[in-house]
């Protein structure tokens, strides 16, 4: 009787370990959920969820990865979002490579550059590749360059923003009282060329001017000022398109653009 009692008391003393292990597991799951909901990063969420499922002996399956009601906006469709992001990145890489091939084949390195940035693909023209000094009228060979670049851009459905930039040397002419007007006029000239020559959809385009206030480099020398005088064509990633004003596709018959 005494030996049986001792065994029973020993079992009762160790039973708390089961409750403790369950509590630790629940706490770990709770903090994993807090982390996932705070970062809203689908890629990290899936990795953490899979690791947790494996640790709990679920063979890689868990309620965190099963389809159902969203735990937070975007999480239940994380696989779809990741696939969409990867497809867009692949498309951006393809556009960049095609643009770089055109630049290399036509000896435009140094005057035209292309880079893949966080906001999208950026094609940057030095002003000497497009305009006479202090002018917004396109050079004859500049139109050909824009047409070739535009044919590549028409293969995508992304919105495109054309940005004009100047150096910090002041300008004060009848046409351009300041660098603001010059930068906007140059961006608009590129937009108009895309529309007139290629019948580019106007609703996909926008023109903006930054004047001298978004320099690449300090305006400390003529070489640096020349690099700051540029026009950038930006193929925007879809997540940045949401910041653009929403609009319905207009009827092109009602669009008038001054020559």
């Amino acid at each position: 009787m005494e030996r049986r009692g001792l065994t029973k008391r020993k079992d009762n003393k160790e039973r708390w370990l089961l409750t403790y292990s369950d509590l630790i597991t629940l706490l770990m799951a709770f903090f994993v959920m807090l982390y996932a909901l705070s970062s809203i990063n689908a890629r990290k969420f899936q990795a953490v969820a899979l690791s947790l499922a494996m640790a709990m002996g679920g063979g890689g399956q868990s309620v965190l990865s099963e389809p159902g009601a969203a735990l937070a906006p975007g999480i239940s469709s994380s696989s779809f979002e990741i696939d969409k992001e990867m497809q867009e990145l692949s498309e951006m890489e393809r556009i960049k490579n095609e643009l770089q091939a055109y630049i290399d084949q036509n000896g435009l390195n140094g005057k035209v550059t292309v880079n893949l940035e966080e906001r999208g693909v950026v094609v940057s023209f030095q002003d000497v590749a497009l305009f006479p000094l202090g002018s917004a009228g396109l050079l004859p060979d500049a139109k050909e360059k824009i047409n070739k670049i535009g044919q590549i851009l028409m293969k995508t459905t992304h919105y495109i923003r054309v940005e004009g930039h100047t150096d910090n040397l002041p300008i004060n002419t009848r046409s351009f009282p300041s660098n603001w007007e010059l930068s906007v006029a140059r961006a608009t000239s590129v937009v108009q060329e895309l529309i007139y020559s290629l019948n580019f959809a106007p609703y996909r385009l926008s023109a903006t001017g930054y004047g001298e206030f978004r320099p690449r480099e300090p305006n400390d020398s003529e070489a640096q000022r020349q690099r700051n005088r540029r026009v950038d064509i930006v193929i925007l990633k879809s997540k940045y398109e949401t910041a653009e004003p929403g609009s319905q596709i207009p009827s092109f018959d009602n669009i008038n653009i001054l020559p």
Side-chain angles (χ1 to χ4, degrees):
M1 291 295 294
E2 292 181 0
R3 186 171 300 171
R4 187 180 304 166
L6 288 173
T7 303
K8 187 175 182 179
R9 282 194 297 272
K10 183 177 181 181
D11 291 340
N12 289 338
K13 288 180 180 179
E14 293 179 353
R15 190 175 299 241
W16 67 272
L17 291 173
L18 297 175
T19 304
Y20 179 77
S21 62
D22 289 341
L23 177 61
I24 293 300
T25 302
L26 290 173
L27 284 174
M28 182 172 65
F30 175 71
F31 284 113
V32 166
M33 291 298 300
L34 285 181
Y35 172 78
L37 293 173
S38 65
S39 63
I40 311 298
N41 186 313
R43 201 184 303 264
K44 290 182 180 179
F45 180 83
Q46 281 209 330
V48 172
L50 181 60
S51 298
L52 179 60
M54 295 295 292
M56 297 175 67
Q61 298 292 329
S62 78
V63 294
L64 298 179
S65 59
E66 290 293 328
L71 299 172
I75 289 183
S76 65
S77 58
S78 58
S79 296
F80 172 78
E81 292 297 331
I82 291 173
D83 290 343
K84 183 179 178 181
E85 181 182 342
M86 296 303 294
Q87 289 174 4
E88 184 175 62
L89 181 60
S90 177
E91 181 186 8
M92 290 287 176
E93 286 282 1
R94 178 187 59 78
I95 295 171
K96 175 184 175 296
N97 293 337
E98 194 168 347
L99 289 167
Q100 187 62 60
Y102 168 75
I103 292 170
D104 294 339
Q105 291 168 6
N106 292 272
L108 296 175
N109 288 289
K111 292 184 179 180
V112 185
T113 59
V114 58
N115 293 289
L116 181 56
E117 300 180 1
E118 172 60 27
R119 57 182 176 159
V121 177
V122 181
V123 188
S124 186
F125 291 86
Q126 295 298 306
D127 70 329
V128 294
L130 299 179
F131 307 101
L133 185 63
S135 171
L138 289 168
L139 295 166
D141 62 336
K143 295 183 178 183
E144 182 181 356
K145 294 184 183 76
I146 293 173
N147 289 341
K148 294 294 186 180
I149 295 293
Q151 291 172 17
I152 298 173
L153 302 183
M154 290 184 73
K155 298 176 182 179
T156 177
T157 59
H158 290 273
Y159 284 92
I160 293 169
R161 186 167 62 223
V162 182
E163 303 172 346
H165 300 267
T166 69
D167 59 24
N168 66 342
L169 295 179
I171 186 173
N172 186 6
T173 65
R174 180 176 297 180
S175 300
F176 309 115
S178 73
N179 282 323
W180 287 111
E181 286 82 2
L182 178 59
S183 63
V184 172
R186 286 181 166 181
T188 303
S189 292
V190 173
V191 166
Q192 289 178 339
E193 183 62 28
L194 289 170
I195 295 172
Y196 288 139
S197 298
L198 298 174
N199 198 27
F200 214 100
Y203 74 92
R204 288 180 52 204
L205 300 169
S206 63
T208 187
Y210 291 109
E212 65 202 68
F213 301 104
R214 301 288 178 89
R216 281 179 171 174
E217 302 178 15
N219 288 287
D220 295 336
S221 67
E222 175 54 32
Q224 290 174 313
R225 284 192 292 269
Q226 183 173 330
R227 284 190 285 272
N228 289 332
R229 298 193 300 266
R230 67 195 191 278
V231 171
D232 293 341
I233 300 178
V234 185
I235 302 95
L236 292 169
K237 288 183 179 178
S238 56
K239 65 180 180 180
Y240 292 98
E241 292 175 1
T242 58
E244 298 292 313
S247 64
Q248 296 180 347
I249 298 177
S251 171
F252 296 159
D253 295 335
N254 298 326
I255 295 178
N256 295 316
I257 299 178
L258 295 176

